[in-house]
Amino acid sequence: MEIIISSNTNKPIYEQITSQMKAMIMSGELKTGDPIPSMRSLAKTIHVSVITVQKAYEDLARDGFIETTVGRGSFVAAQNKDFMQEEQQKRVEEHLVQAAEIARTNGIPLEKILELLTLFYEERE
């Protein structure tokens, strides 16, 4: 598991850890029951405070992504399919808000945006 911390962002380090771990879980890179590094181990690996990693793990546990058991460690939690879909939809909405703002600011008509979205959505690789 590779977590990359960027100093070129306004996003706090614990949020960077949280969002990257959520992405790994939602993409299937990390699966239900997979162990995740101890707080101390991850902190040492990415050169941050254990308290920073603890905050990230607390957020992940609160949001249902990981389960921590004293003496055993932390593991990827069993995911509710509806919850996972809701999380992915939030990500899409964030991007659509940005796209809509760019389009509005630059006078790109809604019809053109809908046409592009339809094209991208239906495009097969």
Side-chain angles (χ1 to χ4, degrees):
M1 179 175 73
E2 185 178 7
I3 302 287
I4 299 168
I5 302 302
S6 172
S7 58
N8 299 331
T9 179
N10 292 336
K11 196 177 213 182
I13 293 171
Y14 78 91
E15 284 184 11
Q16 292 181 51
I17 296 167
T18 302
S19 63
Q20 288 179 52
M21 289 184 80
K22 281 182 178 181
M24 285 184 242
I25 293 167
M26 289 189 294
S27 73
E29 183 179 336
L30 291 174
K31 297 178 181 11
T32 299
D34 282 353
I36 59 172
S38 70
M39 290 180 219
R40 189 170 287 141
S41 172
L42 183 59
K44 184 176 181 181
T45 301
I46 61 175
H47 308 289
V48 299
S49 162
V50 174
I51 294 169
T52 301
V53 176
Q54 179 182 10
K55 173 71 172 132
Y57 280 26
E58 286 171 354
D59 286 357
L60 288 164
R62 181 198 66 225
D63 293 344
F65 283 88
I66 66 169
E67 295 172 340
T68 301
T69 306
V70 177
R72 287 194 60 228
S74 297
F75 300 87
V76 176
Q79 292 294 305
N80 175 316
K81 187 176 179 182
D82 292 336
F83 178 75
M84 295 263 306
Q85 189 169 10
E86 182 68 25
E87 284 292 313
Q88 293 293 10
Q89 186 173 323
K90 285 181 194 174
R91 291 181 61 206
V92 169
E93 288 171 3
E94 290 171 8
H95 290 287
L96 290 174
V97 165
Q98 291 176 347
E101 184 60 33
I102 292 168
R104 245 190 326 273
T105 303
N106 292 287
I108 301 170
L110 176 60
E111 295 76 25
K112 184 65 176 175
I113 298 303
L114 292 172
E115 179 184 324
L116 287 169
L117 180 59
T118 301
L119 176 71
F120 295 143
Y121 187 85
E122 293 175 348
E123 186 176 74
R124 303 277 186 236
E125 290 185 31

